[in-house]
Amino acid sequence: MSEAKTTMAPPVYLGLPRKPPQPDMRCDVCRALARERREAAAARDWSRLTDCDVEIGRHPGAHA
């Protein structure tokens, strides 16, 4: 019987996290999402905070 040889996988290198998108505070939708993002951060709900970032970033044209 032969022994199975195992090796470690190579290390994973992660880049720096992206900066959160900036809401346009003149927009009602952006203001609501920014408020929800602040509440999520205060509650340490990182999943909801990330969801808010995605929604702000995808908001119609992100006011570009």
Side-chain angles (χ1 to χ4, degrees):
M1 222 178 188
S2 65
E3 286 187 39
K5 293 187 177 188
T6 60
T7 59
M8 293 176 55
V12 175
Y13 295 99
L14 302 175
L16 294 174
R18 295 181 183 194
K19 292 182 181 179
Q22 296 303 308
D24 183 342
M25 297 311 279
R26 298 170 294 180
C27 169
D28 292 338
V29 173
C30 284
R31 279 198 311 272
L33 288 168
R35 183 178 60 250
E36 186 176 345
R37 182 169 63 180
R38 282 191 307 272
E39 291 169 359
R44 302 177 69 95
D45 185 345
W46 310 126
S47 177
R48 187 169 58 132
L49 185 139
T50 301
D51 290 346
C52 291
D53 283 346
V54 169
E55 284 192 57
I56 292 169
R58 288 185 180 172
H59 184 62
H63 302 286

